[in-house]
Amino acid sequence: MVDNALTEKVLLATGGYDHTIKLWHANTGVCNRSLTHLDSQVNALEITPDRQLLAAAGNFWFQHIRMYDLNSSNPNPILNYEGISKNITGVGFHEDGKWMFTCGEDCSARVWDLRSRNLLCQRIFQTTAPITSICLHPNQCELILGDQSGLLHIWDLKTDHNEQLIPEVDASIQCVAIDSSANYVASVNNKGNCYLWRYNGNGTKLSPEHKINAHRKYALHCKFSPDSTLLVTSSADHTALIWKTSDFSLKQELKNEKQRWVWDTAFSNDSEHLLTASSDFVARLWNVESGNIEREYEGHQKALTSLAFCDPYS
């Protein structure tokens, strides 16, 4: 039976290589539903701001964006958006749900009009290398992208101006993030390093702030906590590391003997807990302060590569 109050609960969605998306009650660890995601693994998941739909980005031979109804018992997608030539690596939404943004290995970022069921591509931004990650500035007017050539792009949607930064030569950017206060931009690369920039006084220019030699292997993901006081980086070295943004010192190392590559992360709205998705088929809920695992979400049959988290109190 489908819980009609599903979107009012703390909701966790997980996906990966087993062509299945699972919806969990994050606070109980109970799997509420399984959704069908045929033909490809799940590269990225995101819940719409109104908590009605879940977007899943796919790859391999079947490049697509699929939308699932979170309030329905239907395990199949209600909308399928195709026509992108290569893997889709990132997806997100404008805070009012007016448009969606995506990026992918076709060297393009796109802005899609969600007011049309035909999903019209309104804007497109092209680079010379596959785009690995994308995030939206809190001002809702700039998209920040990282690509495999090592370039960080800041795309101003109002002016169509593009600013480029090169944190490290010959290093592929794997993930980019911006904090909710728009003070910092972070990126991690395939050499395990994390670079941070700070916006200047008027919030229009980025200046180099700090470099963290975060991981001894390939870095996969980075994300700021909702209160902007913490930054998490995760890696192929089987760990997620939590850093203080006050001085970029290490606050906590999250590791477990069973855990493998940590592909994706999400903080709770109070910034006191962290969710991780890893290659050992398991998602975990960690206590940031103690570093202990408080809950494990087991049920997938292959590696987890993405998660989306929705806190009703956010």
Side-chain angles (χ1 to χ4, degrees), residues 246-263:
S246 58
D247 59 5
F248 304 110
S249 63
L250 181 64
K251 177 181 176 66
Q252 196 64 258
E253 180 182 27
L254 306 180
K255 62 186 297 185
N256 177 271
E257 62 180 12
K258 295 180 181 179
Q259 186 166 256
R260 296 297 179 260
W261 289 31
V262 184
W263 287 95

Side-chain angles (χ1 to χ4, degrees), residues 2 43 49 63 78 102-103 105 116 123 170 185-187 189 194 201-202 204-205 207 213 224 245 271 278 305 309:
V2 175
N43 279 343
Q63 300 81 24
I78 60 170
T102 62
C103 68
E105 293 181 355
S116 168
R123 308 278 295 278
D170 297 326
V185 170
S187 73
N189 65 29
C194 176
N202 59 12
T204 59
K205 189 74 174 179
S207 300
N213 300 117
F224 288 96
T245 57
S271 303
S278 66
T305 53
F309 178 64

Side-chain angles (χ1 to χ4, degrees), residues 23-166:
L23 303 181
W24 312 81
H25 291 151
N27 51 354
T28 65
V30 174
C31 181
N32 185 71
R33 290 170 61 196
S34 291
L35 307 176
T36 303
H37 193 267
L38 297 177
D39 306 326
S40 87
Q41 75 178 66
V42 181
N43 279 343
L45 291 168
E46 192 69 28
I47 297 168
T48 55
D50 63 6
R51 301 178 172 91
Q52 300 300 307
L53 299 173
L54 174 70
N59 77 339
F60 204 56
W61 300 112
F62 299 89
Q63 300 81 24
H64 55 252
I65 305 160
R66 289 177 175 160
M67 302 285 271
Y68 296 85
D69 187 347
L70 292 176
N71 289 314
S72 167
S73 59
N74 183 4
N76 301 306
I78 60 170
L79 296 170
N80 286 280
Y81 304 125
E82 301 178 350
I84 301 174
S85 61
K86 293 186 178 181
N87 299 341
I88 302 166
T89 55
V91 60
F93 297 96
H94 180 272
E95 64 180 1
D96 294 331
K98 295 178 181 178
W99 43 267
M100 175 174 69
F101 55 90
T102 62
C103 68
E105 293 181 355
D106 64 349
C107 307
S108 299
R110 290 176 170 83
V111 174
W112 307 84
D113 186 355
L114 290 181
R115 293 168 292 188
S116 168
R117 286 294 183 177
N118 295 324
L119 196 71
L120 300 175
C121 180
Q122 292 179 314
R123 308 278 295 278
I124 187 168
F125 175 82
Q126 293 185 307
T127 65
T128 58
I131 302 173
T132 55
S133 180
I134 188 169
C135 65
L136 179 62
H137 192 289
N139 65 15
Q140 307 295 299
C141 296
E142 293 175 312
L143 286 169
I144 302 169
L145 308 92
D147 70 29
Q148 286 186 11
S149 73
L151 281 175
L152 186 82
H153 306 267
I154 302 171
W155 178 22
D156 189 323
L157 297 175
K158 287 186 175 180
T159 65
D160 212 33
H161 175 72
N162 169 36
E163 179 183 351
Q164 295 181 353
L165 300 170
I166 306 175

